Amino acid sequence: MFQFCADQYECLEIFAKTQKGEKGSVSVRMLPDGEFLTQPAGKYHAAWLKFDLRQGACYEVKLENAEPVYCYLSGNENILEEGVRFLEFQEQSVTAYTKENLKSFFDTPYREQYHFQAYKNWLNDPNGLCWFQGYYHMFYQMNPAFQGWDNMHWGHAVSKDLVHWTYLPVVLAPQPELDDYPEFLGGAFSGSALVEEDQVSLFFTRHFSPTHERTKIEYQSRVTSKDLLHFSPEEIVLRTKPSCEISQNFRDPKVFIEDGVYKMVVGSGISESAAMLQFHSRDQKKWVYDGPVVQENDPKIGGCFECPGLFQLDGKMVAVGCAWKLVLPDGRKQTEWYYIGERKDGCQLAVESKRIYDFGTNFYAIQSFEHQGRRIAVGWIADNYEEHVEAENGAYGSMGLPRELRVKGDRLIQKPVEEIYSLLGETVLRESGKQQVCCEVPGNSYWAKVSLSKPGDFSILLGEEDGRSIRLECVNGVTGLRTQGVKSENIGFVSDVEKVTEIEIFVDRRLVEVYLNGGEGAGAKLFYQHTKDGRFAAQFEENILQDVQVRQMNSAW
């Protein structure tokens, strides 16, 4: 038996699964003498159970062959500010985590301190990014049950500054029938938000497939909301592919308005060639196929794009797509690409330049939106090289720093949003003119900036432990990230930026993000350490270091 008090909350939400081979249930009653209300736990996957509460009352929870894998209190009138209250069941006690004490829950060597992350277990693609009624909203793919991919839900968080985030209740769940068929997987896959005055429409993909993925069903659905807390019933808006040559991979709708017409871009493929497909509509319900925005003829890109994006920026049209399951000759996996050009007949993009979005390739499923003249992008820090270290109450997946985008010439310029610099803390190193610099950084969460008087070779150690390391290096004029002693050590994480003279680095425990020449290139890479001891050690070619500074970063929690 477990006990807790509802305080200002009106709902208990528990994700619970049965112990293998058993029937399980969760029962809740109000103390001291209320009757138990009982709901069955999931047979093969965690079931999402909800129990109404009375504010100020205390309750008892009884588990019968059931494991509560993710639990929180919701229904607070001030939920956008206070967020949900997470509950952790430990033996016969319950520990609560709110905005006031989440920092202690996250303070481990394996978890970021100023990047958004899952409360625990699994997180992947950002979804539905938007600004609405005074808040930035970020939905995201999540599996509440464990630190691995499974049937997909949509999590939800809000922020006023893109730095400090508040967790809200889960929004979308997998199809209920998936719990009856353990050989099938699916759920609510990725999508986008369309804001129109006082209403937001969320578009997303429903996925259903056998675990071996030889065949699959994917279609596009929509829900609407006036407050992004309560949602309309789900409706299917695009059920079938436009032709038989279109891939079974048909997902991740990005919806926007162009010239008064609704447009939808879907990630897919045409005849084994990766493509982003465009549709248009007058009412968001009946969608007409226009054709491919981008159809990739390069065989190294593969047969499917996912998580597409399309937007106007600085007089150019930019298309963005993830090359699903792609492995490049240099070993990099799951690369994201951007295409800059002009549109033909309101559909096909006449591509003028094409580049890899992030040379570290742990930055994936990037989604962007526009607010007050800024194009802001967020990407998932994806463990493409299977380097995740699992820990109790740990989290697989986080989000990279929000990046402000610009187009300059043939490049997409990416810089961290200015709000992140509000977390800059104590200066631990400031030097100029030297050939070697080094410092220890307690907490291993820091920012560094290096200015060079001219291009030259260098090596900057950003993490090291037990024969494993990560460095940013320039060798013979080629700049990139290099790891040693980990699974990705033989892979070339090389930037295409030439003549590097300005470097900005964000280290956040297991995550390194690098920006070159004011955002001409960006690279994100995971590197796990077992301690919270940070280190910055750099060597430079003679007479090229102008200035280097290292400052601690404060926690966003």
Side-chain angles (χ1 to χ4, degrees), residues 408 411 413-415 450 452 455 479 497-504 514-522:
K408 184 178 180 181
R411 286 186 181 272
I413 304 298
Q414 307 173 64
K415 294 182 179 181
V450 177
L452 306 178
T479 303
V497 178
E498 300 176 351
K499 299 180 179 180
V500 172
T501 57
E502 182 182 327
I503 305 163
E504 193 171 16
V514 175
Y515 298 85
L516 305 176
N517 285 1
E520 288 183 8

Side-chain angles (χ1 to χ4, degrees), residues 221-247:
S221 292
R222 181 186 79 146
V223 297
T224 62
S225 177
K226 296 288 188 180
D227 60 5
L228 288 182
L229 295 172
H230 306 87
F231 298 88
S232 68
E234 182 177 328
E235 58 179 335
I236 299 173
V237 296
L238 183 57
R239 183 183 293 275
T240 58
K241 302 177 298 179
S243 70
C244 62
E245 65 180 356
I246 302 299
S247 168

